[in-house]
Amino acid sequence: MKITDEPKYLTSGRRTPDDPNKLIVTRAALAAAFAIGVDAPSRNYEILWGTYSIAVVGLDHAEARNQVWFDLWTVLDQAEQHLRARIMEVQLPG
């Protein structure tokens, strides 16, 4: 597998109560474009491409949660737009 472009990321957070110039990161998401060669015995060599995305929430808690997406045939710009919704879809730890 090869990462084919510079990954895109998105973070979210809140200001610290003690210092309003500092931010506590509470959510983070990343989308990376990839390509991978697949070779099956009775088929032609194929190149699969798309994006791999991950969103992690609860970074300011003892337990964080994450979710991953494996989107075939999705370009990086489109995956970057999905990050805005996906970072909010993952529910905070109980």
Side-chain angles (χ1 to χ4, degrees), residues 29-43:
L30 174 92
F34 71 88
I36 187 169
V38 179
D39 193 12
S42 61
R43 305 188 110 208

Side-chain angles (χ1 to χ4, degrees), residues 8-81:
K8 305 288 184 170
Y9 63 91
L10 178 65
T11 57
S12 166
R14 59 181 162 74
R15 300 216 181 269
T16 62
D18 301 337
D19 186 349
N21 293 321
K22 291 186 180 179
L23 184 71
I24 297 170
V25 176
T26 58
R27 296 173 180 260
L30 174 92
F34 71 88
I36 187 169
V38 179
D39 193 12
S42 61
R43 305 188 110 208
N44 293 335
Y45 184 78
E46 298 279 344
I47 302 274
L48 299 179
W49 61 271
T51 57
Y52 171 84
S53 301
I54 183 168
V56 183
V57 302
L59 294 170
D60 56 336
H61 291 78
E63 292 183 33
R65 285 203 177 151
N66 68 70
Q67 186 169 342
V68 298
W69 293 265
F70 188 69
D71 299 309
L72 289 175
W73 323 126
T74 301
V75 296
L76 187 57
D77 288 339
Q78 185 179 10
E80 181 180 23
Q81 294 303 312

